[in-house]
Amino acid sequence: MTRLTLPSLAALLTLAACDAPADGPVQDPEPAERLATGPLTPAGPAQTVTADADVNLQHAAAVVELDEIQGQGTLTAKLFGTAGGDPAMNGLYVHAAFFLSPAEGWRVFRIGDVLDYRVLSTGPGRVELEIDESVMDPETSEIGSRTRRMILGWAPGAEGAPPETVTVTPAQ
């Protein structure tokens, strides 16, 4: 029979802790792991859902990207992109939005028409973005692409109210 001494038991527990999952949210299993459990089977009657006739949902359905802007104090801010332009020449309309109130909704600023955007960093009153966009050569009418950076800035209004204007500054 093997006997564990107190020092050996402590070492064994230390090694075991190295494999313990970190505290935090439980992750959904990878799709392959979910498939390994087999397909779902009905567990009750199906409910039929009809299309929602709210005209405002047409605008919401066009949203294809959404980024909350953290670290703005009491100001609620986000960037979002809507599809709707010519996909051969950009087509992602990028907006910054600041929440006014439940009755007034959002104050929205259109930032540009691009192929894609990435948030590089955020800070109070500032978002640094990298933009991919289509550009047309005026001499040849050929469409090319470029990547550029910009700083989206604003100053909150009195008592943290949403800004009246924003600035878009080219950056390196």
Side-chain angles (χ1 to χ4, degrees), residues 60-66 80-83 91-93 117:
V63 173
V64 294
E65 291 190 41
L66 175 66
F80 67 95
T82 59
L92 178 66
Y93 299 133
Y117 74 89

Side-chain angles (χ1 to χ4, degrees), residues 38-152:
L40 297 178
T41 57
Q47 293 181 344
T48 300
V49 179
T50 59
D52 196 315
D54 183 346
V55 69
N56 293 316
L57 291 177
Q58 291 299 313
H59 300 292
V63 173
V64 294
E65 291 190 41
L66 175 66
D67 295 282
E68 291 182 339
I69 305 172
Q70 302 294 324
Q72 303 306 308
T74 59
L75 187 62
T76 300
K78 63 184 171 183
L79 290 175
F80 67 95
T82 59
D86 178 359
M89 216 28 216
N90 299 313
L92 178 66
Y93 299 133
V94 181
H95 301 84
F98 302 88
F99 188 68
L100 295 165
S101 71
E104 297 170 290
W106 296 82
R107 181 170 294 148
V108 180
F109 302 90
R110 184 167 168 185
I111 305 305
D113 179 10
V114 303
L115 286 172
D116 199 10
Y117 74 89
R118 284 169 297 290
V119 175
L120 300 175
S121 68
T122 63
R126 177 183 176 107
V127 176
E128 296 178 357
L129 298 168
E130 186 171 76
I131 303 294
D132 294 326
E133 61 188 345
S134 298
V135 290
M136 184 176 293
D137 184 329
E139 293 178 16
T140 65
S141 296
E142 288 185 28
I143 297 174
S145 63
R146 73 176 172 192
T147 299
R148 63 186 176 98
R149 293 181 173 185
M150 66 173 59
I151 301 166
L152 173 64

